[in-house]
Amino acid sequence: QKEVEQNSGPLSVPEGAIASLNCTYSDRVSQSFFWYRQYSGKSPELIMSIYSNGDKEDGRFTAQLNKASQYVSLLIRDSQPSDSATYLCAVSKNNNDMRFGAGTRLTVKP
Amino acid sequence: KAGVTQTPRYLIKTRGQQVTLSCSPISGHRSVSWYQQTPGQGLQFLFEYFSETQRNKGNFPGRFSGRQFSNSRSEMNVSTLELGDSALYLCASSSQGAGTGELFFGEGSRLTVL
């Protein structure tokens, strides 16, 4: 079982729709959870972090965490073509490592 | 503020050779972590250095090694290269540690092993 699992996609949504990206993790002691966005040919960049159960909203992005289910999700509202990228879920259980999922490729069609 | 700099950006090696990659973190950042990115496996954690000490290591063979210098610059070395080592190697810098928050990634070193 991989430490962090994501559906590889591709996930395709029309412009203006809600994109829902999901992630599960295997280690129950994980404490910190992150979503990174990676455009094609570019390096990953952090878009959201979440540390406690519930929802965290930042503009069009909402991260959701359920530690009991070991599940993290990212919702992108009013999706734009510029949101087309690979989204990486990352999980940390201590200060000195970060484990990434393989990423979900999102395409937003105009 | 200068970003994370990785060199070289591209390199081609043959099986059995060894390679050294370099990463200069953001000024003031003491943590450098390394990742291997391949299409099938995604981003896989190699190791993390903090103030010249390796604090954590991923599930890679001993052919993969690294070090960090007093100026926080880091190098990683891969010996006895195999075809499967072809990948994009990314380093990331952080002020407090690889797992504490935002990682700032370099543009990567793309290694091709023939």
Side-chain angles (χ1 to χ4, degrees), chain A:
Chain A
Q1 182 186 13
K2 290 185 177 180
E3 293 179 89
V4 183
E5 297 215 47
Q6 299 179 251
N7 289 327
S8 61
L11 173 66
S12 181
V13 301
E15 183 174 356
I18 295 175
S20 177
L21 305 163
N22 304 314
C23 170
T24 58
Y25 58 95
S26 61
D27 195 334
R28 285 196 169 272
V29 302
S30 298
Q31 298 178 347
S32 307
F33 307 86
F34 308 89
W35 284 97
Y36 281 77
R37 178 177 61 200
Q38 186 174 24
Y39 291 114
S40 181
K42 300 294 185 182
S43 298
E45 56 180 345
L46 179 70
I47 53 171
M48 288 287 288
S49 60
I50 187 166
Y51 303 95
S52 54
N53 281 330
D55 294 359
K56 179 181 177 183
E57 186 174 320
D58 183 1
R60 296 186 296 110
F61 297 94
T62 299
Q64 299 174 317
L65 173 61
N66 184 326
K67 289 187 178 180
S69 300
Q70 296 176 237
Y71 177 88
V72 191
S73 67
L74 178 70
L75 300 177
I76 306 174
R77 290 182 301 281
D78 188 24
S79 295
Q80 302 296 308
S82 59
D83 295 326
S84 297
T86 296
Y87 289 80
L88 302 166
C89 173
V91 174
S92 170
K93 58 184 178 185
N94 54 44
N95 289 347
N96 53 32
D97 80 28
M98 186 85 78
R99 305 297 170 123
F100 287 82
T104 299
R105 187 156 58 92
L106 171 67
T107 300
V108 181
K109 296 188 175 180

